């Protein structure tokens, strides 16, 4: 198996919208600013430089320095924070939920992608600086989406009640999770590293935002990754004019609704609300709605007049939280950002937002689908070679793979298409004869044709079934291998946690990711560790 990649089209795991975007389908051009090609970053830099106020840089640097207070920032991280004061510095950003212990593998792939793209851009545009950003989704309130991770065959879950933004959530109770995880890890140098990483991240920090910052900083701080928390008073102050616009004019609802009409042939990722803001406190994140000429907070008794809510915005902007429609705008307002790197689902909903950016006079970033990876071991590659499996085989539907390999292993042709075609031709003559006589005879001929074709199909299925029994041992090894690589017949990167692979490979895992991932190449990378 010499190839170490497979196209996104061949993988079968990407939506029609993403496939059309990746081939630059002309009908989608109105939904994005520039396609992610190296040469397109030059004009993107020029546009963002004109659109991003210089004074915002000071606020951003101060906010980051405050957020890193109490954390050990590497020299590379400190340098990158300082570089943001320079008007020639721009960011490449990815975002992710505060999944327990990073959650699924693609957390790593997102961050490696932003770091590697920054390196590539520095070579192409040496007069500028490029800084990788991980935007922590601290204001999310979907705790059930983040309170677990899978380690090998065990789902390790944090059971507790949660209300409000997850970033402010206390880490109390994670000692029990640590005990379960430590038991699963067992002994060994890599196991001890993972235990210490979990312990230092979650048991030595008071809230989930700080724990996640520590974790991401330990994994990627040496590469200069900046970890940004948007739940910040000073950063929200920069966003006040846009929150006011949303409250009074529902700009995003009108623009995104119009864009959604252009995406009728695709599955829409998100639908806008009339007001795309939440009211935020430590234990509350509830929608703001406008009813009876008043602003109300869902599921509370809070009610504001227009004057009152605008006064609250002026004095306490941190109590307003953008939803999935407005969060990208918030990000691009406060950052000198050129490109957002996300999964297919994320890029899909970003494609719904360009008109809203234009209405707010904010540069729309380049949208880049993150690298996707399949991690394998040498032993698994050897098994695939012995079974004469290609990567395309292993990525295919399991039933399709099962049938295809049965055909290959059989000593004779299991496809009765030729016989069925021959039978149809014989009945063509009978049907011509029948058309010249009684209608009842014609009906009998057609019924007989259907019966005999069905009989051949049944024989074909029985023969395939018989051959599967004969070759069952080899077929079972194929399915077993595919199940190892694609848990629950889904992508490994959407389920497995990095700890499972670090436990076996140690730092080789990160080293290989940095070596093999090329963000501007749209392909599914297979990495043997």
């Amino acid at each position: 198996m010499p190839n170490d990649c497979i196209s996104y089209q061949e993988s079968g795991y990407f939506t029609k919208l993403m496939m059309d975007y990746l081939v630059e389908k002309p009908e989608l051009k109105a939904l994005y600013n520039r396609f992610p090609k190296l040469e397109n970053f030059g004009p993107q830099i020029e546009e963002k430089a004109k659109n991003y106020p210089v004074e915002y840089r000071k606020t951003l640097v101060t906010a980051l320095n405050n957020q890193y207070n109490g954390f050990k920032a590497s020299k590379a991280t400190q340098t990158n924070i300082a570089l943001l004061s320079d008007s020639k510095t721009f960011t490449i950003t990815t975002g992710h939920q505060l999944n327990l212990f990073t959650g699924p593998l693609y957390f790593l792939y997102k961050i490696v992608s932003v770091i590697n793209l920054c390196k590539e851009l520095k070579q192409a545009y040496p007069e500028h600086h490029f800084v990788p950003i991980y935007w922590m989704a601290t204001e999310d309130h979907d705790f059930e989406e983040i309170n677990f991770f899978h380690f090998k065959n065990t789902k390790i879950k944090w059971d507790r009640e949660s209300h409000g933004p997850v970033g402010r959530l206390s880490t109390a109770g994670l000692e029990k999770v640590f005990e379960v995880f430590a038991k699963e890890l067992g002994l060994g140098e890599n196991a001890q590293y993972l235990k210490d990483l979990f312990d230092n991240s979650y048991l030595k920090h008071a809230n989930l935002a700080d724990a996640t910052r520590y974790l991401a900083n330990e994994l990627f701080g040496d590469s200069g990754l900046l970890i940004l928390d948007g739940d910040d008073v000073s950063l929200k102050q920069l966003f006040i004019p846009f929150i006011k616009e949303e409250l009074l004019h529902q700009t995003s609802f009108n623009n995104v609704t119009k864009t959604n009409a252009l995406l009728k042939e695709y599955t829409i990722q998100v639908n806008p609300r009339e007001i795309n803001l939440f009211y935020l406190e430590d234990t509350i994140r509830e929608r703001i709605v406008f009813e009876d000429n008043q602003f109300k907070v869902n599921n509370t008794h809070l009610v504001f007049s227009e004057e009152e809510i605008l006064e609250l915005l002026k004095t306490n902007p941190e109590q307003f939280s953008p939803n999935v429609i407005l969060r990208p705008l918030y990000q691009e307002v406060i950052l000198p950002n050129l490109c957002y790197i996300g999964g297919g689902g994320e890029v899909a909903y970003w494609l719904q937002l360009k008109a809203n950016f234009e209405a707010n006079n904010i540069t729309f970033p380049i949208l880049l689908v993150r690298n996707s990876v399949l991690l394998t071991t040498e032993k698994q590659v050897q098994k695939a070679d012995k079974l004469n499996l290609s990567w395309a085989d292993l990525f295919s539907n399991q039933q399709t793979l099962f049938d295809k390999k049965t055909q290959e292993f059989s000593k004779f042709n299991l496809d009765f298409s030729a016989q069925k075609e021959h039978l149809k031709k014989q009945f063509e003559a009978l049907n011509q004869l029948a058309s010249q006589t009684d209608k009842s005879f014609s009906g009998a001929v057609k019924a007989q044709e259907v019966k005999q074709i069905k009989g051949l199909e049944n024989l074909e299925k029985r023969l395939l079934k018989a051959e599967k029994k004969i070759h069952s041992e080899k077929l079972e090894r194929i399915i077993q291998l595919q199940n190892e690589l694609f848990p629950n017949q889904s992508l490994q990167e959407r389920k497995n946690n990095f700890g499972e692979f670090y436990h076996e490979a140690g730092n080789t895992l990160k080293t290989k990711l940095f070596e093999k991932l090329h963000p501007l190449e749209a392909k599914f990378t297979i990495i043997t560790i």
Side-chain angles (χ1 to χ4, degrees), residues 492-508:
Q492 174 195 81
E493 63 182 33
R494 295 178 186 169
K495 181 181 178 182
N496 299 55
N497 180 263
F498 89 97
E500 182 174 330
F501 298 90
Y502 191 95
H503 187 255
E504 302 301 324
N507 283 326
T508 301

Side-chain angles (χ1 to χ4, degrees), residues 371-484:
N371 287 123
S372 283
V373 178
L374 176 66
L375 297 175
T376 68
T377 64
E378 290 284 358
K379 188 175 181 180
Q380 287 169 331
V381 172
Q382 290 169 7
K383 284 182 182 179
D385 285 336
K386 287 180 181 178
L387 294 166
N388 197 28
L389 292 168
S390 67
W391 290 121
D393 287 334
L394 287 165
F395 271 86
S396 64
N397 171 272
Q398 191 161 98
Q399 189 59 53
T400 302
L401 174 61
F402 206 69
D403 292 348
K404 177 187 174 185
K405 288 301 169 181
T406 303
Q407 294 267 11
E408 289 181 11
F409 297 152
S410 180
K411 295 178 180 179
F412 38 83
N413 187 9
L414 304 181
D415 185 354
F416 283 12
S417 296
Q419 289 87 340
K420 284 183 275 189
E421 191 61 34
H422 179 68
L423 189 61
K424 286 177 182 178
K425 287 180 179 179
Q426 287 182 318
F427 271 95
E428 282 178 9
L430 278 173
N431 281 318
Q432 286 179 358
L433 175 64
S435 66
Q436 300 173 34
T437 183
D438 187 76
K439 287 184 178 179
S440 63
F441 180 68
S442 180
V445 170
K446 288 180 179 177
Q448 190 62 221
E449 179 182 4
V450 170
K451 182 179 179 181
Q452 293 198 31
I453 292 292
K454 187 68 176 176
L456 275 176
E457 288 174 347
N458 288 334
L459 286 173
E460 187 177 43
K461 289 177 182 177
R462 290 185 66 177
L463 180 58
L464 181 62
K465 187 177 180 181
E467 286 296 292
K468 285 177 180 177
K469 285 184 179 179
I470 294 172
H471 302 290
S472 60
E473 186 178 340
K474 193 181 290 187
L475 290 168
E476 182 60 34
R477 292 204 303 272
I478 289 174
I479 297 308
Q480 183 180 3
L481 177 59
Q482 191 187 49
N483 287 339
E484 288 176 10

Side-chain angles (χ1 to χ4, degrees), residues 278-341:
F278 289 96
Y279 175 86
L280 197 68
E281 291 185 11
D282 285 350
T283 58
I284 298 175
R285 191 180 189 238
E286 292 286 352
R287 284 176 50 217
I288 298 172
V289 297
F290 187 67
E291 295 175 352
D292 304 321
N293 291 316
Q294 292 179 310
F295 292 90
K296 301 178 180 179
V297 179
N298 262 6
N299 301 314
T300 74
H301 298 296
L302 294 170
V303 178
F304 303 92
S305 67
E306 179 179 307
E307 183 180 354
E308 288 169 338
I309 203 164
L310 292 180
E311 180 62 25
L312 179 67
L313 174 61
K314 181 180 178 181
T315 57
N316 297 88
E318 72 278 6
Q319 290 187 251
F320 295 82
S321 175
N323 75 353
V324 67
I325 294 289
L326 269 192
R327 192 212 65 80
L329 184 69
Y330 176 39
Q331 171 189 299
E332 297 302 312
V333 165
I334 67 174
L335 290 176
N337 197 50
L338 302 176
C339 174
Y340 183 77
I341 298 179

Side-chain angles (χ1 to χ4, degrees), residues 9 37 45 78 202 208 217 277 363 403 426 522:
Q9 288 86 345
K37 296 177 180 177
I45 289 169
Q78 293 174 40
Y202 294 99
L208 197 54
N217 187 55
L277 292 165
T363 297
D403 292 348
Q426 287 182 318

Side-chain angles (χ1 to χ4, degrees), residues 166-340:
V166 295
R168 302 183 189 182
L169 185 64
S170 167
T171 53
L174 278 168
E175 297 86 355
K176 293 181 180 178
V177 176
F178 176 67
E179 289 174 10
V180 174
F181 185 36
K183 187 176 180 181
E184 290 292 329
L185 283 167
L187 302 175
E189 185 178 344
N190 293 339
Q192 190 59 49
Y193 170 82
L194 292 170
K195 290 175 189 176
D196 291 342
L197 184 61
F198 191 101
D199 185 356
N200 292 329
S201 298
Y202 294 99
L203 306 189
K204 292 182 171 61
H205 292 92
N207 60 58
L208 197 54
D210 286 348
T212 305
R213 181 184 298 278
Y214 180 89
L215 176 63
N217 187 55
E218 284 295 301
L219 292 173
F220 296 106
D222 287 346
S223 297
L225 178 71
L226 301 189
I227 303 153
L228 183 63
D229 186 351
D231 188 7
D232 184 290
V233 178
S234 63
L235 298 178
K236 287 282 179 71
Q237 285 172 341
L238 300 181
F239 199 54
I240 287 176
F242 303 90
I243 297 175
K244 182 177 180 180
E245 176 73 17
E246 180 70 12
L247 289 169
L248 301 183
H249 303 295
Q250 292 83 56
T251 307
S252 57
F253 174 78
N254 296 326
N255 286 295
V256 177
T257 300
K258 290 176 185 177
T259 300
N260 285 356
L262 304 175
L263 289 165
K264 287 181 179 178
E265 65 175 293
Y266 303 104
T267 300
I268 298 296
Q269 289 293 113
V270 292
N271 286 296
R273 305 281 189 180
E274 289 187 355
I275 296 176
N276 293 280
L277 292 165
F278 289 96
Y279 175 86
L280 197 68
E281 291 185 11
D282 285 350
T283 58
I284 298 175
R285 191 180 189 238
E286 292 286 352
R287 284 176 50 217
I288 298 172
V289 297
F290 187 67
E291 295 175 352
D292 304 321
N293 291 316
Q294 292 179 310
F295 292 90
K296 301 178 180 179
V297 179
N298 262 6
N299 301 314
T300 74
H301 298 296
L302 294 170
V303 178
F304 303 92
S305 67
E306 179 179 307
E307 183 180 354
E308 288 169 338
I309 203 164
L310 292 180
E311 180 62 25
L312 179 67
L313 174 61
K314 181 180 178 181
T315 57
N316 297 88
E318 72 278 6
Q319 290 187 251
F320 295 82
S321 175
N323 75 353
V324 67
I325 294 289
L326 269 192
R327 192 212 65 80
L329 184 69
Y330 176 39
Q331 171 189 299
E332 297 302 312
V333 165
I334 67 174
L335 290 176
N337 197 50
L338 302 176
C339 174
Y340 183 77

